[in-house]
Amino acid sequence: SRHKENNIRMSPSRKLDSQLALAFGLKVPTKSMLDENVSKSMVSQFFEDKHDQDKAAAVNFYVVTSTLYSQFMYLFSDIRNIVLKYDRKYGKTNNPDKKWYNIFTPSKVELVDFISTDLVYTQPPTGEGEFIDDNLNIFLRHPITSENLHTFLSLNRKYLKKDERGNIVMTYKKEVDEEDGLDRIVYLSELTKESNIRLIEFDDQFTNSELVYAIIVNEGNKRINVVFRGSLTGQDWKQDFKYNYLDLCDLKGEGKAKFKTEYITPEDMKLCSASETVKFHHGFVEYLFGETPDPHHDSKFDKIADTLQQVVEKYKGYEIVITGHSLGGALTQLLAFALASSKHCRSFLPVPIRAVSYASPPVGNRGYQEQFRHLEEKGILQHIRFTNQGDVVPVAPFPRRGYTQTGLNMHVFENQQMHVEGFKNTKSFLSQVSFSPIKCHSLDRSYWERIALESNQEYLKMSIEELYESNGRQA
């Protein structure tokens, strides 16, 4: 089964839980759910501001919404995977007999009857690589709304709890346990319900061998959001460490890598006279442009582009925002660059295409950075790149020299105002060496508290256009 290897535990980078609400001081139902030491934040009036177009255009609003969308995707994925493993309808398919070499794993799990599983799972049981309907482009067969998640959690809460490590796990209770640790999860579903978001695509069909992404529509703010998953599987980490360069010929299958796309040509990326040939990080490009088992598309990029074309046709006048953390951040800036570069994609996508990345490693060389900057200057592309003091990933010194960053960098500190500058490497590797590199890289509560410092408000309340205008001469 394509689902049997799905991990229902949340990775450290996904343990946001309600940390976003905590760090940003959002109101919660009970006082006990708040840390008394959490300072007031930039989004305390979040739900009042979402209908104000000027405030909704501010950077802080992009920060909050991009994080909510990511958390919504992960929450949906975790709960759906629990259903796939433990629901009586799906459990037999997804829990095969025990193998001799797996002696410590039970051959069977106790199955239960979850209520209204169609709220979180839209596919019948199927093996990896099987497609339900050849006439449909997207994998989800109906949107997953905030109301879906909230209703499912309310109906089935007695089967779920958080363990001491913060993981959502299955439990067998006869009634709801008030100490199950899920108050913040339930609140998060309420939070996203008020935001009026719909998850219309979640592509994890080949979750252990390909990138995973979601497409989420916010009807209230008229935004279409592409959200990438960060590094979680062994294949994700393998791609991270494929740091050798690939150049433009590889994108058209002329090189040994045989990358596939119908919508990008080398001519599309020759937008200006770059000082160097445009070269990319092998692993990131392979993930986005590599061949896929999907019989309908040459690559994930083509599938995303096709889906976005359908979505923008339905949701006219909506802007495109792409977001992700770490590996997801690298894919965020690469997808944004590819969409903005493609003449075909520019024919139907609204511009500027906006990317909001967190802890993104470098994606390409100076030639790539110059082409990226050219698109920014033309008003086609914008990239807000958040980094955290003490995180070496965004300045990783790959053995292949020449990697450089893109976008407008908003670099946060523990107790001082963020640095805002661009459009290149803004920090050295040595300046980011710390005693807690994993913590500084992870999207934990301290990350959001650093972003939300009062001293950062002058930047966070600006629109992306205002930030670009005030920093555009620094390139």
Side-chain angles (χ1 to χ4, degrees), residues 312-331:
V312 298
E313 179 64 27
K314 179 177 181 180
Y315 297 97
K316 297 182 184 298
Y318 284 44
E319 67 173 303
I320 303 294
V321 181
I322 309 168
T323 192
H325 169 259
S326 193
L327 168 64
L331 294 169

Side-chain angles (χ1 to χ4, degrees), residues 11-25:
S11 68
S13 65
R14 294 196 277 141
K15 291 178 184 176
L16 293 179
D17 184 16
S18 178
Q19 291 164 350
L20 175 68
L22 288 173
F24 285 164

Side-chain angles (χ1 to χ4, degrees), residues 463-475:
S463 69
I464 295 178
E465 285 77 8
E466 289 171 336
L467 276 175
Y468 262 81
E469 183 177 351
S470 62
N471 289 273
R473 299 295 183 266
Q474 298 181 13

Side-chain angles (χ1 to χ4, degrees), residues 131-366:
F131 288 77
I132 308 304
D133 187 341
D134 288 343
N135 295 318
L136 293 175
N137 182 56
I138 62 175
F139 187 51
L140 289 186
R141 294 300 173 254
H142 67 68
I144 303 297
T145 66
S146 307
E147 185 72 30
N148 289 142
L149 277 187
H150 187 264
T151 302
F152 183 83
L153 282 169
S154 300
L155 292 173
N156 297 282
R157 186 167 175 174
K158 70 177 182 179
Y159 296 123
L160 305 170
K161 71 174 183 178
K162 287 180 63 179
D163 64 13
E164 64 279 1
R165 297 171 59 189
N167 301 313
I168 302 177
V169 296
M170 180 69 181
T171 187
Y172 300 93
K173 299 174 293 189
K174 293 183 179 179
E175 57 186 24
V176 173
D177 180 1
E178 294 183 357
E179 303 299 323
D180 60 10
L182 292 180
D183 279 347
R184 295 173 183 173
I185 295 293
V186 173
Y187 172 63
L188 176 67
S189 66
E190 278 283 359
L191 200 69
T192 55
K193 184 172 69 172
E194 290 191 50
S195 301
N196 192 25
I197 64 176
R198 297 162 60 85
L199 191 152
I200 62 174
E201 173 68 311
F202 180 70
D203 186 357
D204 69 340
Q205 182 125 16
F206 306 97
T207 185
N208 294 304
S209 59
E210 294 190 336
L211 65 85
V212 172
Y213 71 92
I215 296 179
I216 297 175
V217 173
N218 185 326
E219 296 181 358
N221 301 123
K222 293 189 175 182
R223 287 174 184 160
I224 298 165
N225 308 272
V226 182
V227 183
F228 284 107
R229 185 183 74 181
S231 297
L232 183 62
T233 68
Q235 186 62 40
D236 291 338
W237 290 105
K238 183 179 178 180
Q239 298 301 129
D240 290 336
F241 286 99
K242 290 183 177 181
Y243 46 72
N244 55 302
Y245 280 133
L246 292 172
D247 59 30
L248 289 173
C249 70
D250 293 308
L251 289 176
K252 295 306 296 177
E254 298 168 15
K256 61 181 180 180
K258 306 294 185 186
F259 296 122
K260 302 292 185 181
T261 176
E262 295 181 12
Y263 304 133
I264 292 277
T265 68
E267 289 70 28
D268 281 335
M269 295 191 181
K270 293 178 180 177
L271 301 172
C272 67
S273 299
S275 60
E276 300 178 20
T277 301
V278 177
K279 294 182 181 292
F280 305 93
H281 182 287
H282 180 148
F284 304 149
V285 170
E286 185 176 54
Y287 241 14
L288 192 58
F289 292 100
E291 291 183 281
T292 174
D294 183 339
H296 304 298
H297 303 93
D298 288 336
S299 65
K300 287 287 190 179
F301 173 79
D302 285 15
K303 182 172 185 179
I304 294 171
D306 281 350
T307 305
L308 286 176
Q309 187 168 10
Q310 296 179 29
V311 175
V312 298
E313 179 64 27
K314 179 177 181 180
Y315 297 97
K316 297 182 184 298
Y318 284 44
E319 67 173 303
I320 303 294
V321 181
I322 309 168
T323 192
H325 169 259
S326 193
L327 168 64
L331 294 169
T332 289
Q333 62 165 293
L334 183 58
L335 174 64
F337 174 77
L339 291 173
S341 298
S342 168
K343 183 177 180 180
H344 170 77
C345 294
R346 290 199 307 270
S347 70
F348 62 83
L349 290 179
V351 295
I353 294 168
R354 294 189 168 103
V356 180
S357 69
Y358 300 89
S360 170
V363 170
N365 69 344
R366 183 162 181 79

Side-chain angles (χ1 to χ4, degrees), residues 67-112:
T67 310
L68 283 175
Y69 303 148
S70 297
Q71 183 65 354
F72 182 77
M73 176 185 72
Y74 286 126
L75 179 60
F76 160 71
S77 175
D78 287 327
I79 292 179
R80 186 199 63 168
N81 289 340
I82 290 175
V83 169
L84 287 171
K85 184 170 184 178
Y86 293 101
D87 183 71
R88 201 175 308 279
K89 187 192 315 183
Y90 306 111
K92 292 182 180 180
T93 301
N94 297 300
N95 292 287
D97 292 336
K98 178 174 67 176
K99 304 298 183 181
W100 66 270
Y101 51 79
N102 202 9
I103 59 175
F104 298 108
T105 301
S107 58
K108 296 182 179 180
V109 297
E110 182 180 345
L111 303 179
V112 300

